[in-house]
Amino acid sequence: MTYCAGILVKDGLVMIADTRTNAGLDDISTYRKLHLFSWPGERNFGLMTAGNLSITQSVVSLLHEGLPNPETGEIDTLHNAPTMFRAAQLVGNCIRHVREMDGPALEEARVKFDISILFGGQIKGEPMRLFMIYDAGNFIECGVDSPFLQIGEHKYGKPILDRAVTFQTHLYDALKVGLISMDSTMRSNLGVGLPIDLLVMRRDAAEPELNRRIEAGEPYFHDLRERWSAALRAAHLAIPRPPYGPSEG
């Protein structure tokens, strides 16, 4: 399984992804799901993947190499995409290309074509944007009213983000809440696990501000997990019990 979250706030973008990939109880591996495409001072993109590993790796490799454009005869790349919208279209086109090439063989082997992507960042002079791209290559965009998108095993972490994140949230508070969301997912689903990859991009900055991996035993993340658990215990103890028991007397 996978859990990835992208949070777009006033000051920038936070992207968080786990690294666990499993094909059974005894076949658990670590693979990077958060990828950085960076041309400092010009454009910076983060891309997170969920789904079939062979499909996601093919799409990421194609994005590095570029995709031939049948209309112009040129190679479309993230480096020459004129806008964030066109860059997101390129990601979708790469998904369609991989489906066209590998889809029939996967279908014959009864393997589902399964991929979803979070793609965000900024081109100099353009707004910072965040997209969710589906396995058909179509996509939706993150908005001010809903400042986050998730892929993979999202249901355990979504309530945390729903309650705590707005477009006005401080950039590093968004990172903190995102890590709490990740911890909640990891506690409820063993298919999501450490290490965790982080990417923080400040709006209009020349390059990413933070590109880091959290390994098992990392002090801050361990402290965050313990403090969040203690806060939840204290909160439920502070709330009165329901007055729905048997009548007294």
Side-chain angles (χ1 to χ4, degrees):
M1 290 299 295
T2 294
Y3 178 52
C4 303
I7 307 172
L8 183 65
V9 294
K10 177 182 65 175
D11 293 326
L13 174 65
V14 172
M15 304 184 86
I16 303 174
D18 85 309
T19 57
R20 180 166 293 181
T21 299
N22 64 290
L25 294 176
D26 59 350
D27 186 10
I28 297 176
S29 302
T30 296
Y31 287 95
R32 179 174 289 275
K33 303 169 189 175
L34 171 55
H35 306 272
L36 174 63
F37 297 80
S38 180
W39 293 267
E42 181 184 346
R43 59 187 63 200
N44 297 287
F45 306 127
L47 181 142
M48 298 187 288
T49 61
N52 181 287
L53 184 60
S54 68
I55 297 170
T56 62
Q57 288 185 340
S58 294
V59 171
V60 171
S61 295
L62 195 54
L63 284 168
H64 280 290
E65 293 184 2
L67 187 66
N69 187 320
E71 297 180 0
T72 66
E74 299 179 352
I75 302 297
D76 289 338
T77 69
L78 290 176
H79 191 196
N80 62 27
T83 65
M84 281 296 301
F85 179 80
R86 294 288 294 277
Q89 281 188 321
L90 174 60
V91 178
N93 289 340
C94 287
I95 293 174
R96 294 189 186 102
H97 182 79
V98 173
R99 179 189 285 274
E100 181 180 346
M101 298 297 294
D102 298 343
L106 291 172
E107 185 177 351
E108 185 177 345
R110 298 183 181 179
V111 175
K112 181 182 178 183
F113 191 92
D114 178 26
I115 183 174
S116 54
I117 286 176
L118 293 183
F119 175 72
Q122 188 172 22
I123 297 173
K124 185 177 181 180
E126 280 231 327
M128 180 170 276
R129 302 172 76 174
L130 174 65
F131 302 90
M132 180 190 293
I133 305 170
Y134 299 102
D135 57 10
N138 58 321
F139 53 85
I140 62 171
E141 183 172 1
C142 185
V144 173
D145 294 331
S146 300
F148 66 88
L149 293 169
Q150 304 164 283
I151 55 176
E153 187 61 271
H154 63 271
K155 59 181 177 291
Y156 301 110
K158 187 175 186 298
I160 308 295
L161 300 175
D162 280 335
R163 290 178 180 270
V165 173
T166 71
F167 187 70
Q168 300 300 322
T169 299
H170 187 280
L171 185 59
Y172 281 84
D173 282 336
L175 174 59
K176 176 179 65 177
V177 175
L179 289 173
I180 293 172
S181 173
M182 178 65 74
D183 174 58
S184 298
T185 303
M186 288 167 54
R187 286 179 177 271
S188 297
N189 190 317
L190 294 177
V192 177
L194 292 161
I196 299 168
D197 289 323
L198 313 174
L199 182 63
V200 176
M201 291 187 276
R202 192 171 291 275
R203 199 177 295 269
D204 298 324
E207 58 187 342
E209 189 165 292
L210 178 66
N211 184 14
R212 179 187 179 93
R213 171 164 287 190
I214 294 178
E215 302 280 0
E218 201 270 349
Y220 175 78
F221 188 65
H222 176 77
D223 183 61
L224 176 141
R225 303 185 80 174
E226 294 301 314
R227 286 176 181 264
W228 180 245
S229 294
L232 286 177
R233 289 192 294 269
H236 91 75
L237 289 174
I239 297 173
R241 291 174 178 167
Y244 307 139
S247 301
E248 295 186 3

